Amino acid sequence: MTAATAPHHPAARPASETTADDLRLMAAAIALGDAARGTTWPNPAVGALVVRIEDGVPVIVGRGWTQPGGRPHAEVVALAQAGAAAKGATLYVSLEPCAHFGKTPPCADAIIKAGIARVVASVGDPDPRTAGAGFAKLEAAGIEVTRDVLRAEGLRSHAGHIRRVQDGRPHVMLKLAVSADGKAALPGPRPAVITGEAARARVHMLRALSDAILVGIGTVLADDPDLTCRLPGLAHRSPVRVVLDDGLRLPPTSRLVRSAGTVPVWVIAAADADHAREQALTQAGVEVMRVGRGADVRLDLAQALALLATRGITRLMVEGGPTVAAALLKADLVDETVVFESPVRLGEDALPALAGLPLGMLSASPALNAVERVPVGADLMTVARRP
């Protein structure tokens, strides 16, 4: 099941009848939620606006987004900011308000209590605890509900939440840096500087907007990476760092292990990996999890992704080397690719970007459609997503 199959309910006011203001304000609400991505898991990053019409002009009286750790929810933040001005106003929200009691009361109840007259939402929430019940509760209270406004944009914004609920795994974004001759690393393997400063800054922003970043043990042994966000002022947005390491070869002296107390490091190992090595990593602050092996004797990637979903990960950025990238593509577990093509050439002896696969399969794959192709400094960035 894909993100495009998120719940679709008959609208009280069809999206085709919405106003230009509705579209503009919904775009703003979605943008608010997007800015919080990577900080709210396991909850979705929702954006919300409370808007009043004054002298025929919409005026924003409250704005909110899901707070770090997932609470408070966006609607509650926006309503609190609006205060008494919420009575009779319109609430724009990127995802259907929740209808269930969890660690906090339902947002639908808060909306009703605040006296909101109309709710405009982008997409329904597939979470079975809500799944239309939020809209139904609002309508039962006499609130006008308009659904599916900028639905495509809302589906993209909440792709991680939808994928986790519907498919039991995170939304997987594969990032590749590729030389002009289709290579990813020097022989050895040894790391190579492929992209320019602008592209590297873009990659760090992608990290900041992800819940977790995943690499294979081969990349760690070759590069000894930090895998943190190094943009000024955004170090706190560094994602959980995940290493696929079937035999627990992660060196205790690696940068990842030495910084595990600051930014979490999770290692996914095989069920038969050495327990003494696990204990050494655990004592250093690394969390070790185990999955079975697949038919190729390597880690079962579907199991690994399902495990991450149970831990709350909704958006996973993959920066693994050619082996991990190719394995995920072969298993049809990639939902989005971000490829930075460089004018730099590494030579015939360098490692291909996809182990055992032609790079052209990315553009030829029916599972991924190119949606953006723009220059980033001297490099070219191409983004492709599932239809």
Side-chain angles (χ1 to χ4, degrees), residues 175-188:
K175 188 278 296 183
L176 295 173
V178 181
S179 67
D181 47 357
K183 308 295 185 178
L186 295 171

Side-chain angles (χ1 to χ4, degrees), residues 142 224 249 260 336 346 363 375:
D224 193 19
R249 293 184 291 154
E336 182 176 1
L346 295 183
S363 57

Side-chain angles (χ1 to χ4, degrees), residues 14-375:
S16 60
E17 296 180 15
T18 55
T19 67
D21 283 336
D22 285 341
L23 298 175
R24 179 171 57 86
L25 290 163
M26 180 56 72
I30 291 172
L32 283 176
D34 283 346
R37 271 174 25 198
T39 69
T40 69
W41 60 279
N43 289 351
V46 179
L49 295 173
V50 179
V51 179
R52 295 188 64 85
I53 302 298
E54 298 181 4
D55 297 326
V57 177
V59 177
I60 297 172
V61 295
R63 54 173 58 84
W65 52 89
T66 310
Q67 296 299 292
R71 296 176 204 85
H73 292 183
E75 301 96 317
V76 173
V77 175
L79 291 170
Q81 189 178 104
K87 187 173 180 61
T90 295
L91 174 73
Y92 292 84
V93 62
S94 62
L95 185 70
E96 177 183 3
C98 63
H100 63 280
F101 280 88
K103 294 187 177 179
T104 57
C107 287
D109 290 356
I111 293 166
I112 295 167
K113 184 177 179 180
I116 288 289
R118 179 181 177 227
V119 170
V120 181
S122 180
V123 290
D125 189 346
D127 188 324
R129 297 171 298 177
T130 294
F135 290 145
K137 181 176 282 193
L138 296 173
E139 290 175 329
I143 297 174
E144 179 186 350
V145 175
T146 303
R147 308 176 180 93
D148 299 332
V149 176
L150 296 185
R151 177 175 169 80
E153 291 83 347
L155 289 172
R156 285 197 294 272
S157 179
H158 295 295
H161 172 66
I162 294 169
R163 183 71 63 192
R164 178 172 177 258
V165 170
Q166 292 184 337
D167 294 347
R169 66 169 177 84
H171 174 88
V172 175
M173 177 184 68
L174 173 63
K175 188 278 296 183
L176 295 173
V178 181
S179 67
D181 47 357
K183 308 295 185 178
L186 295 171
R190 292 175 290 122
V193 177
I194 297 175
T195 56
E197 184 176 343
R200 290 195 293 272
R202 185 69 65 95
V203 169
H204 283 278
M205 181 55 72
L206 292 174
R207 290 180 180 179
L209 296 172
S210 300
D211 303 344
I213 182 171
L214 180 143
V215 297
I217 185 60
T219 294
V220 176
L221 295 176
D223 300 354
D224 193 19
D226 288 302
L227 300 179
T228 53
C229 176
R230 295 193 291 277
L231 294 178
L234 290 181
H236 66 288
R237 297 284 295 264
S238 294
V240 174
R241 298 165 299 171
V242 182
V243 182
L244 296 177
D245 182 9
D246 60 347
L248 289 176
R249 293 184 291 154
L250 181 63
T253 56
S254 67
R255 291 177 179 174
L256 288 175
V257 175
R258 286 186 282 121
S259 61
T262 303
V263 180
V265 176
W266 298 351
V267 170
I268 300 179
D272 57 2
D274 186 83
H275 284 274
R277 292 181 180 177
E278 175 181 350
Q279 185 176 16
L281 291 174
T282 300
Q283 289 175 346
V286 174
E287 184 168 354
V288 176
M289 299 173 276
R290 294 175 182 261
V291 297
R293 295 183 184 271
D296 60 0
V297 192
R298 294 179 175 145
L299 292 178
D300 187 311
L301 293 177
Q303 282 189 30
L305 295 183
L307 179 60
L308 292 178
T310 66
R311 299 298 304 273
I313 300 301
T314 68
R315 285 183 177 269
L316 179 68
M317 179 178 179
V318 177
E319 286 199 59
T323 300
V324 169
L328 286 167
L329 287 167
K330 285 180 181 177
D332 193 27
L333 292 172
V334 175
D335 304 301
E336 182 176 1
T337 58
V338 181
V339 180
F340 294 92
E341 299 173 68
S342 167
V344 172
R345 301 183 71 85
L346 295 183
E348 290 188 6
D349 293 337
L351 273 64
L354 297 176
L357 294 176
L359 187 60
M361 78 159 290
L362 288 179
S363 57
S365 171
L368 298 166
N369 291 343
V371 296
E372 185 179 8
R373 190 172 175 85
V374 295

